[in-house]
Amino acid sequence: MSSSSGLAVPARLAKELRDLVQHRNARGSEFDSDGISLSPVSPSDLSLWRAELLGAPQTPYANGRFAIRINVPRQYPHSPPKLTFITKICHPNVHFKTGEICLDILKCVAPDTPILTSHLDQKGKWIISEVEARLL
């Protein structure tokens, strides 16, 4: 197997795929016990994956299904994969427009990126607003 760049996929990633398939077959379900489904988009290119998450019960996400695109860099496992929500989701760590997971610890937030906050109003409607100033 090779990535789209023509470089060999790290043996570790190929092993992780084998373990995933073995676990899925033993479980007899597409989703694991945490409600996560994971697979490469193409078996011949392990640099692009798709995950699907089931919304956790008793949360605003209950009964939801959320798709995520996972781009695995050539430097994996020394550099983390980049995850982007395909499904629109309102969450403080997800960029509302692009679906990019934005945590300062992942260094994906540019200094001029607006910070959004959200809350439920009295009628149960989600209100999304931009925070005026960033605390440093």
Side-chain angles (χ1 to χ4, degrees):
M1 292 182 205
S2 65
S3 68
S4 57
S5 65
L7 299 175
V9 173
R12 175 177 171 157
L13 194 53
K15 180 190 180 311
E16 289 171 1
L17 176 58
R18 284 191 303 276
D19 292 346
L20 174 70
V21 170
Q22 184 179 22
H23 178 74
R24 183 182 298 150
N25 291 343
R27 186 165 167 75
S29 172
E30 174 185 357
F31 290 89
D32 69 12
S33 59
D34 292 320
I36 301 170
S37 172
L38 178 68
S39 60
V41 172
S42 167
S44 63
D45 181 4
L46 297 184
S47 67
L48 182 61
W49 293 62
R50 179 185 167 98
E52 194 167 331
L53 310 175
L54 299 178
Q58 301 176 358
T59 71
Y61 308 106
N63 301 318
R65 291 174 76 118
F66 304 94
I68 299 175
R69 179 178 46 251
I70 303 169
N71 290 308
V72 181
R74 283 183 249 168
Q75 302 82 8
Y76 179 83
H78 302 291
S79 295
K82 180 177 179 184
L83 284 67
T84 306
F85 274 86
I86 299 167
T87 307
K88 290 288 185 190
I89 185 170
C90 181
H91 188 279
N93 294 332
V94 177
H95 191 284
F96 188 69
K97 292 181 182 177
T98 66
E100 182 179 10
I101 296 177
C102 293
L103 294 171
D104 285 337
I105 61 172
L106 297 178
K107 300 176 184 172
C108 69
V109 178
D112 60 344
T113 300
I115 298 174
L116 302 177
T117 186
S118 64
H119 65 277
L120 285 173
D121 69 8
Q122 293 176 348
K123 296 179 183 178
K125 180 179 174 186
W126 278 105
I127 304 298
I128 301 169
S129 56
E130 189 172 324
V131 175
E132 293 288 328
R134 178 179 292 210
L135 298 174
L136 297 176

